[in-house]
Amino acid sequence: GNIRGEVLSRANLHTMFYESGRLGRAAREVERVSLLGERAQDREVRIRARVVESQFFINTGSNLGRAHRALRQAEAELDGEAAYWLNQHVWHALGNVLQLTGQYDDAIKYFRRLHREASDQQDLSTVARAQLSVTNALLERRSYEPYVNDAPLYGDANEALVAARRARDLDLELEALRLLGEVLMSEQPERARTYVDTCIEQAGKSRRSLALSKCLWIRGRLLADS
């Protein structure tokens, strides 16, 4: 009869099933969490349940409309007294779903809002993650809206690298190096190669195979152009 405990437990089960590739099992836990959230009297539990629900559909890309609705409901329940971590999860997920549906300007607003809040809280890892999200959204927008002025894009990418190093988070640093390579790839290929090679070297030493594959892919594109 402890709804909060059951939501927490099922949220963890969902994560374990999702990360081990058992999507059907993960989906069943999400549906149970969603139903529990609707019955919950505790506002925090309702928000948490909606974040879990939205995260599954964002990660699988299977129902972004449902993810967006759940997050709007969660956002409506946030207030000035909401815990920092609640704001963090809702804003980051909203930014993600808006980016995935091509609403780049709105997504960037949420990521920048998260960046400001994390800076106030001195949460260095979230500052870096939010800055990376801003840069990713700007880069993706450039692909679809080339007429938009993206002059600050390099500055945002470099700021993400600085933030990742300040947080001493290697995974975020590798992502920032990859982003800098991609941002500079078209106009400054030699400079881009410097960042990409650093990423490849560090990812190889630390056995970060996903980051390594991403940076090798960019190196391949740079070599193809020459």
Side-chain angles (χ1 to χ4, degrees):
N2 183 337
I3 291 180
R4 184 177 190 278
E6 190 171 352
V7 165
L8 292 172
S9 300
R10 292 193 183 282
N12 287 334
L13 282 169
H14 146 260
T15 300
M16 292 170 62
F17 289 139
Y18 176 80
E19 291 185 351
S20 61
R22 290 175 284 180
L23 298 187
R25 296 286 300 276
R28 285 196 289 276
E29 296 302 334
V30 168
E31 295 301 338
R32 290 168 182 166
V33 166
S34 179
L35 290 172
L36 288 165
E38 291 176 5
R39 290 167 42 202
Q41 299 298 312
D42 187 328
R43 179 173 60 91
E44 177 190 317
V45 173
R46 290 196 300 272
I47 294 172
R48 185 190 289 269
R50 286 165 181 153
V51 169
V52 172
E53 176 186 354
S54 67
Q55 201 60 60
F56 175 78
F57 292 111
I58 289 170
N59 288 341
T60 59
S62 54
N63 195 335
L64 296 178
R66 180 171 169 181
H68 195 190
R69 285 193 299 275
L71 288 168
R72 288 299 188 198
Q73 290 171 340
E75 184 184 33
E77 296 214 61
L78 294 174
D79 58 27
E81 302 300 318
Y84 162 65
W85 70 267
L86 277 178
N87 290 329
Q88 174 190 345
H89 285 301
V90 173
W91 294 343
H92 191 262
L94 266 169
N96 283 338
V97 77
L98 288 165
Q99 180 177 342
L100 286 168
T101 53
Q103 300 173 73
Y104 300 110
D105 291 340
D106 289 335
I108 290 165
K109 287 177 185 176
Y110 278 103
F111 293 141
R112 292 204 187 279
R113 188 176 180 184
L114 176 60
H115 185 279
R116 289 193 299 271
E117 183 79 6
S119 297
D120 290 343
Q121 296 289 329
Q122 298 185 342
D123 179 355
L124 299 181
S125 289
T126 301
V127 168
R129 191 171 289 107
Q131 189 60 39
L132 282 166
S133 296
V134 168
T135 311
N136 267 314
L138 287 168
L139 186 61
E140 191 171 322
R141 185 180 69 175
R142 183 171 72 177
S143 301
Y144 290 95
E145 304 173 14
Y147 54 85
V148 174
N149 178 21
D150 63 357
L153 188 51
Y154 169 76
D156 279 304
N158 191 60
E159 187 178 331
L161 178 60
V162 171
R165 286 175 171 167
R166 189 182 298 126
R168 298 182 180 180
D169 189 313
L170 179 59
D171 292 309
L172 296 179
E173 181 177 345
L174 293 172
E175 180 66 11
L177 289 167
R178 191 273 304 169
L179 265 176
L180 279 160
E182 196 162 357
V183 165
L184 296 168
M185 184 165 49
S186 298
E187 297 180 1
Q188 301 182 54
E190 289 303 317
R191 195 175 176 193
R193 178 79 177 263
T194 302
Y195 289 113
V196 171
D197 286 349
T198 302
C199 174
I200 290 169
E201 180 183 359
Q202 292 187 10
K205 286 180 180 177
S206 58
R207 298 185 179 181
R208 299 299 207 276
S209 56
L210 180 59
L212 179 60
S213 68
K214 288 180 179 179
C215 288
L216 284 169
W217 175 72
I218 295 176
R219 180 193 268 178
R221 291 179 63 187
L222 288 165
L223 291 169
D225 288 341
S226 62

